[in-house]
Amino acid sequence: MENTAGIRTAGVLTSGGDCPGLNAVIRAITKNLMTHGVEVFGIMEGFRGLIENRYVLLDDKQTSGLLTVGGTNLRTSRDKPHKMPAPDGGTRDMSGAAIETYRRLKLDCLICLGGGGTQKNAYRLMKEGGLNVITAPKTIDNDVSGTDTCFGFDTGMTIATEAIDRLHTTASSHHRVMMVETMGHNSGWLALGAGVAGGADVVLIPEIPYYIDRVAESLLSRMRHGKMFSIVVVAEGARSVEDEPDLDGDSDDGRKRKRKDKDHVDSKQPVSVSLAAHLEAVTGLETRITSLGHLQRGGVPTARDRLLCTQFGVKAAEMALQGAFGNMVGKRGEDFVPVPLEEVVKQKRLVPPDHPWLIAAREVGTCMGDEVPLAYRA
Ligand code: F6P
């Protein structure tokens, strides 16, 4: 790959929630750009570091051994340049300071690794300050549009699947209902992927509002069919049909949370707590919950994620060398392609009703909360 854009310096930052694989992408970008004589600055703590002029020069020493290390050595934050916390408790627009650092460092391009919020922040800086941004889709939620998959997702899904495997044995020993709550924000990729891979009996995802009585009937019916335990996987954003009209957040009920247009739900109360209590009351079946939380974002990336991250990083570097700014690296089939940020920021990528994983789940009798599977109808 030729440095046709003639870039000499590039910045890289990680923003939003962390996930395994971020370091692997930083490593791939740096190694690749360095071989083309490009100086790479690691901006600390996401956009906050850009605003506060905090960075390190990345070299061979810093990137060696990074492939397998979880988290992000550049650290991260959920800060948005246009909405930084102000001393009076409100927010203030600090985009100007971020743009200034970019100019002071004489960056020819800024590579931002992050989820949906990061894509939007990078896009804003490009529009407002003319920054040459390139992004790559990171998130265990797998909900960034314009790409078949995001890095970090495979690791999160693998961790959740392993947890479900372990819960199967104890569920069986005690004849209990075991409820596992996954992350995923407002998308069901994690719950669905891990639920199908772990052989869950019920999977509840935000894209399919559930009927509590249908879930209860599935569980009771399994018992009647001699299946003495059940595994229920619930995504943190799952909601019942009754909750559906309250999406605007008008209700006082704590479970009915405002979800529209938020990049990040700051909910500390697992949805499984009230759902398990409700189900236990309706079915009389002893129910236990496990909320996987940040375990899904910890530790080493899977082999698949390491491969993906290396490819995402190499493609991001290649796009920088070619001057393909204003784009996110998207994975389409086996290819890695530039996808205009303008398109990426328009919507989230949710589980479509005809997704093969969903169809397969239904075909093996998994209750998705909207109907009692055929095998368990009385
Ligand atoms: O976006 C990734 C994610 O892990 C979501 O699945 C989850 O809702 C959120 O971040 C948790 O954020 P925090 O780490 O700020 O608690």
Side-chain angles (χ1 to χ4, degrees):
M1 174 60 48
E2 295 263 313
N3 186 354
T4 48
I7 63 165
R8 282 175 303 186
T9 44
V12 56
L13 62 77
T14 57
S15 168
D18 74 338
C19 75
L22 280 164
N23 280 324
V25 183
I26 296 169
R27 168 185 176 268
I29 291 170
T30 309
K31 278 182 178 287
N32 191 300
L33 287 181
M34 273 175 21
T35 59
H36 292 89
V38 179
E39 205 170 38
V40 185
F41 290 100
I43 312 291
M44 300 306 295
E45 267 176 67
F47 293 102
R48 173 170 286 273
L50 195 63
I51 290 164
E52 295 174 355
N53 194 32
R54 288 190 286 118
Y55 55 87
V56 287
L57 189 61
L58 296 175
D59 56 23
D60 244 353
K61 220 161 111 197
Q62 311 228 4
T63 48
S64 107
L66 264 195
L67 180 63
T68 58
V69 182
T72 161
N73 279 12
L74 294 178
R75 301 208 297 271
T76 185
S77 71
R78 291 197 180 274
D79 293 313
K80 306 171 182 169
H82 66 292
K83 266 191 190 167
M84 295 300 288
D88 65 358
T91 61
R92 57 182 170 172
D93 189 346
M94 301 286 285
S95 307
I99 295 165
E100 210 179 300
T101 303
Y102 178 94
R103 303 254 178 263
R104 192 181 315 113
L105 284 175
K106 297 189 171 34
L107 296 181
D108 292 313
C109 117
L110 178 67
I111 304 176
C112 307
L113 314 179
T118 303
Q119 312 297 326
K120 288 185 198 163
N121 290 330
Y123 182 63
R124 273 197 198 97
L125 287 178
M126 168 184 122
K127 295 295 267 182
E128 204 178 313
L131 271 53
N132 292 333
V133 297
I134 288 171
T135 65
K138 164 251 46 159
T139 171
I140 64 162
D141 303 344
N142 206 32
D143 60 354
V144 177
S145 73
T147 181
D148 291 352
T149 192
C150 302
F151 64 87
F153 170 64
D154 187 67
T155 306
M157 182 170 64
T158 302
I159 294 169
T161 304
E162 282 168 10
I164 296 168
D165 291 346
R166 289 176 190 279
L167 288 167
H168 256 103
T169 56
T170 171
S172 158
S173 306
H174 286 268
H175 288 183
R176 278 172 173 158
V177 173
M178 285 293 182
M179 187 175 287
V180 190
E181 179 167 332
T182 66
M183 280 189 167
H185 196 196
N186 288 336
S187 76
W189 294 107
L190 257 188
L192 179 63
V196 173
D201 306 297
V202 177
V203 177
L204 305 178
I205 62 174
E207 292 85 345
I208 306 176
Y210 62 84
Y211 293 85
I212 192 91
D213 54 337
R214 294 180 197 171
V215 176
E217 177 50 24
S218 288
L219 299 178
L220 289 170
S221 181
R222 274 179 55 79
M223 291 284 173
R224 289 199 293 273
H225 283 76
K227 314 262 175 121
M228 304 311 288
F229 71 92
S230 294
I231 302 284
V232 178
V233 176
V234 54
E236 64 178 349
R239 56 189 186 268
S240 70
V241 169
E242 295 84 56
D243 282 353
E244 183 74 342
D246 289 287
L247 280 180
D248 287 333
D250 296 336
S251 166
D252 292 338
D253 183 331
R255 285 198 58 230
K256 296 169 182 169
R257 294 161 297 147
K258 186 166 181 168
R259 290 198 180 81
K260 270 188 181 169
D261 289 338
K262 287 197 88 180
D263 298 324
H264 173 231
V265 176
D266 213 0
S267 167
K268 304 285 179 260
Q269 168 79 325
V271 290
S272 50
V273 172
S274 53
L275 177 58
H278 199 151
L279 271 181
E280 198 171 60
V282 178
T283 61
L285 301 172
E286 192 177 31
T287 305
R288 293 283 190 272
I289 56 171
T290 304
S291 180
L292 296 176
H294 295 81
L295 275 177
Q296 294 156 106
R297 296 205 330 229
V300 299
T302 57
R304 181 178 289 273
D305 260 334
R306 293 178 206 182
L307 273 166
L308 257 183
C309 289
T310 305
Q311 290 175 288
F312 268 120
V314 166
K315 185 66 187 182
E318 187 183 304
M319 281 161 51
L321 295 169
Q322 289 173 334
F325 308 126
N327 289 296
M328 178 188 84
V329 185
K331 182 174 190 295
R332 300 269 172 84
E334 288 308 310
D335 298 328
F336 288 79
V337 297
V339 184
L341 269 175
E342 194 180 352
E343 296 305 314
V344 174
V345 298
K346 277 187 187 152
Q347 58 190 5
K348 286 196 172 222
R349 179 174 167 267
L350 301 178
V351 179
D354 58 350
H355 193 273
W357 291 359
L358 198 49
I359 294 169
R362 292 192 194 277
E363 292 295 330
V364 295
T366 312
C367 172
M368 296 303 304
D370 54 347
E371 54 186 24
V372 179
L374 211 52
Y376 295 120
R377 284 184 204 160

